[in-house]
């Protein structure tokens, strides 16, 4: 097995004035050359998890656990060390490219500035590198793009620029937080094709954060499902979508209208995801779960336990105390 | 049977930019039509013309056989228009009045539409909210106190309160979490079945459109490129743009690498021209 580029180990993050932790004992890993999905709804903690890998935690947060990037503890690292890590080891692509770029400066400034500041390159060398990067992300006439302003580019083109910027330091780990959610569907497909190509060519470890289960199924090797700050299920993509085991994962798949197969009524999860102001003494999903058992699910915090029954279920694990009694809808859900 | 909605040759230009051109369709009672396209396809402009927020340059819109005037003057005409077509927007935060409780918002709508008896209005508010799965607690709450799904239900209730012939939904479920989106989608199919309301469902998401609608009108650069029943459209898309949209939907074994090729095939078309 490849060495882990990202290792999150029992990470718990608590904010003052909230009833439950933002993250509760989150453990996940991303190895070189693999695409890992982190799926969850709003407030599940998926973005906080990714930000922790950059050493970014909300102000005032109390934490426990470790986050290692390339073997180095980022939560204990000083500012200088963090800057070096972010410049060379790990970078992030955010959802809204327009929010992450200075609108009054040119694309060229955006791309060359970090190279000139962290690597002390001169303007000419940095610009040559910027042109290479823009060509690598598939923008036509890269020299001309350097002189343009963000408002002159479409959302899809600008997201390509952001990806070019994220690749500038030749990181081994790329974190993508809903990188295509703000884009049109066909542009989304093109950006994912680009990310897939770059990931294969460079052997990157890629963490893809998304709310879209279909997208994760289509693009990831392995997937973690988060709910209310906890990992509730992890498996290979094929296993997770072929044989989901946690009631929440089953609910998510039952909530997604399929494009093919016989039309059947959706089976949505009742209620809404719990907020930070709601405590969850047992399983956080219990209040919405059809299988929840009073006195058990609302009191016992379920551990993420490996499943032993799956023949091809290598690494499949779920956090549910009633796992043995819940049938996986398997082929019924995904015909 | 008189169609609920009959739209012929809608056209709208903003200066030199043609936003919508040649959009025609007919919606039977209880029918549901998906307007499908990406940004700039003209789907939102079409929706806004249906509710009278934009004035078409040419073309006509009839509701239950009666043409809607291109411009609405006066209270009676405005109310008649509101009764014909109601709209639900993507972001209920912006479309609901933040200063009013959900109950007050609905009460105001009913009062405006000539329901003068206070207790009858209160009963009707409760009834409409129950229809979308909301209760007294939500009726007494301001929009900011509700979750995204509850707010969108409230926005749907507000639109249903006037008993419109047609409900236009502009990306009304796009901003919701999937588990909540499914609840609202089921609500919409129920409303359609039980109330016989016609739906015009604007969306970029073909899977969602397939779930809610019978047929889809695909728009590209302001022009309709394909208008067919959904099973047919999904099984054998004819226009390169429809093919591009379909190929863009993630599925197991998906190869997004083929998208660029489909986009090239599209760019070789003169806008609006149909393939042979």
């Amino acid at each position: 097995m490849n060495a882990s580029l990202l290792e999150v180990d029992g990470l718990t993050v608590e904010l003052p004035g909230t009833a439950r932790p933002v993250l509760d004992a989150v453990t996940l890993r991303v190895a070189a050359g693999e695409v890992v999905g982190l799926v969850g709804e709003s407030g599940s903690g998926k973005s906080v998890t990714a930000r922790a890998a950059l050493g970014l935690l909300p102000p005032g947060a109390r934490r426990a656990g470790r986050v290692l990037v390339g073997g180095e503890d980022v939560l204990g690292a000083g500012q200088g060390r963090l800057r070096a890590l972010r410049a060379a080891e790990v970078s992030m692509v955010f959802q809204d490219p327009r929010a992450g770029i200075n609108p009054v400066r040119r694309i060229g400034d955006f791309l060359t500035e970090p190279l000139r500041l962290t690597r002390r390159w001169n303007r000419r060398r940095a610009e040559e590198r910027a042109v290479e990067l823009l060509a690598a992300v598939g923008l036509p006439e890269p020299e001309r793009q350097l002189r343009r302003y963000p408002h002159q580019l479409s959302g899809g083109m600008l997201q390509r620029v952001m990806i070019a910027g994220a690749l500038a330091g030749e990181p081994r780990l790329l974190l993508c937080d809903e990188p295509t959610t703000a884009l049109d569907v066909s542009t989304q497909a093109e950006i994912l094709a680009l990310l897939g190509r770059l990931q294969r060519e460079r052997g990157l470890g890629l963490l893809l954060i998304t709310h879209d289960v279909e997208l994760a199924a289509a693009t990831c090797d392995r997937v973690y499902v988060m709910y209310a700050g906890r990992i509730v299920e992890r498996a290979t993509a094929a296993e997770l979508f072929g044989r989901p085991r946690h009631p929440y994962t089953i609910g998510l798949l039952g909530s997604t209208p399929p494009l093919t197969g016989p039309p059947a009524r959706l089976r949505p999860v009742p209620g809404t995801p719990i907020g930070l102001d709601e405590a969850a003494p047992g399983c956080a999903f219990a209040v919405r779960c059809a299988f929840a058992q009073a006195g058990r699910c609302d009191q016992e915090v379920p551990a993420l336990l490996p499943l032993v029954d799956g023949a091809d279920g290598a690494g499949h694990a779920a956090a549910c105390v009633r796992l043995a009694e819940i049938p996986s809808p398997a082929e019924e859900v995904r015909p | 049977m008189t169609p609920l909605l009959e739209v012929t040759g809608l056209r709208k230009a903003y200066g030199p930019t043609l936003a919508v051109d040649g959009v025609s369709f007919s919606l039977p009672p209880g029918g549901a039509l998906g307007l499908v396209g990406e940004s700039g396809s003209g789907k939102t402009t079409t929706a806004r013309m249906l509710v009278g927020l934009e004035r078409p340059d040419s073309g006509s819109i009839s509701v239950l056989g009666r043409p809607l005037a291109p411009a609405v003057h006066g209270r009676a005409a405005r109310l008649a228009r509101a009764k014909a077509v109601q709209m639900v927007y993507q972001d209920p935060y912006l479309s609901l009045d933040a200063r009013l409780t959900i109950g007050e918002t609905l009460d105001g709508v009913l009062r405006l539409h000539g329901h003068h008896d206070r207790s009858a209005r209160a009963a009707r508010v409760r009834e409409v909210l129950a229809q979308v799965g909301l209760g007294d607690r939500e009726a007494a709450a301001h929009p900011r106190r509700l979750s995204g799904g509850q707010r969108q239900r409230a926005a749907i209730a507000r639109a249903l309160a006037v008993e419109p012939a047609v409900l236009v939904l502009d990306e009304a479920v796009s901003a919701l979490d999937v588990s909540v989106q499914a609840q609202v989608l089921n609500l919409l199919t129920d409303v359609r079945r039980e109330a016989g309301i016609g739906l015009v469902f604007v969306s970029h998401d073909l899977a969602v459109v397939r779930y809610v609608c019978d047929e889809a009108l695909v728009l590209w650069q302001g022009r309709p490129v394909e208008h067919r029943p959904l099973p047919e459209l999904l099984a054998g898309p004819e226009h390169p743009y429809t093919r591009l949209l379909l190929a863009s939907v993630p599925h197991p074994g998906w190869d997004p690498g083929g998208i660029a090729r489909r986009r090239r095939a599209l760019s070789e078309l003169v806008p609006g021209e149909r393939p042979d």
Side-chain angles (χ1 to χ4, degrees), chain A residues 156 160 184-191, chain B residues 38-39 220-221 240-241 243-245 247-248 256-269:
Chain A
R160 286 174 193 265
D184 269 330
V185 276
S186 61
T187 313
Q188 157 168 302
E190 286 173 320
I191 293 294
Chain B
E38 297 179 298
S39 24
W220 178 54
Q221 300 185 350
Y241 183 65
R243 283 187 218 140
L244 172 74
L245 278 184
S248 301
I259 302 296
R261 183 170 45 81
R262 296 200 182 274
R263 188 170 314 269
R264 273 196 302 279
L266 188 63
S267 67
E268 284 157 16
L269 278 184

Side-chain angles (χ1 to χ4, degrees), chain B residues 111-133:
Chain B
R111 212 169 50 230
L112 197 60
H113 282 266
H115 297 257
H116 296 300
D117 182 77
R118 184 189 293 264
S119 62
R121 280 204 310 269
R124 176 71 183 137
V125 166
R126 219 169 286 130
E127 187 189 353
V128 177
L129 284 176
Q131 207 181 344
V132 299

